[in-house]
Amino acid sequence: MSNPEHLRYSKEHEWLSTADNGVATVGITAYAADALGDVVYVELPAVGSTVTGGEPCGELESTKSVSDLYAPVSGEITEVNQDVVDDPALVNSAPFEAGWLFRVRLDDAAGEPTDLLTADEYTAFTSE
């Protein structure tokens, strides 16, 4: 599996893409989607709520299990992907594109996340 170079990754298998306006997009990696199996339900944080980096903020239910969804950064939820809510299989079929999960405005007080991995570091982490 190839992990896009422009993204950052958490050890809980979420990816993060930041934009110039301080809003980041979050999803789960292809590695996690493959490990989960067929995702059949997603529970995402509510728009307007706040999440804390490293803390659970939702759930992903697959044919194999139910797994927590972790926020890779702290901030306010600005948007959730309604397409994924309506069709959870997008998490499996396009985890880095149409299967994104939510957008979060980064908490200025928390600063830039420093504990996220590069694509090469994440690939090495998942190869252990």
Side-chain angles (χ1 to χ4, degrees), residues 37-42 60-66 84-89 91-92:
D38 294 334
V39 176
V40 295
Y41 177 78
V42 295
L60 298 168
E61 183 177 338
S62 72
T63 54
K64 293 181 179 177
S65 66
V66 177
V84 165
V85 173
D86 296 340
D87 182 9
V91 172
N92 297 105

Side-chain angles (χ1 to χ4, degrees), residues 7-8 20 30 44-45 56-57 82-83 85 87-88 96 108 116 126:
L7 301 176
R8 292 294 176 258
D20 291 337
L44 301 175
C57 64
Q82 188 62 43
D83 291 342
V85 173
D87 182 9
F96 295 114
D108 288 337
L116 299 178
T126 56

Side-chain angles (χ1 to χ4, degrees), residues 3-5 7-11 13 114-128:
N3 297 304
E5 293 288 328
L7 301 176
R8 292 294 176 258
Y9 302 88
S10 73
K11 290 185 176 179
H13 308 289
T114 58
D115 58 344
L116 299 178
L117 306 173
T118 65
D120 289 342
E121 291 169 334
Y122 182 74
T123 299
F125 174 71
T126 56
S127 298
E128 293 177 354

Side-chain angles (χ1 to χ4, degrees), residues 40-76:
V40 295
Y41 177 78
V42 295
E43 180 183 308
L44 301 175
V47 172
S49 66
T50 57
V51 294
T52 302
E55 297 293 321
C57 64
E59 290 183 343
L60 298 168
E61 183 177 338
S62 72
T63 54
K64 293 181 179 177
S65 66
V66 177
S67 299
D68 284 333
L69 170 66
Y70 290 87
V73 293
S74 298
E76 179 184 351

Side-chain angles (χ1 to χ4, degrees), residues 24-37:
T25 302
V26 175
I28 67 165
T29 65
Y31 175 87
D34 186 56
L36 282 170

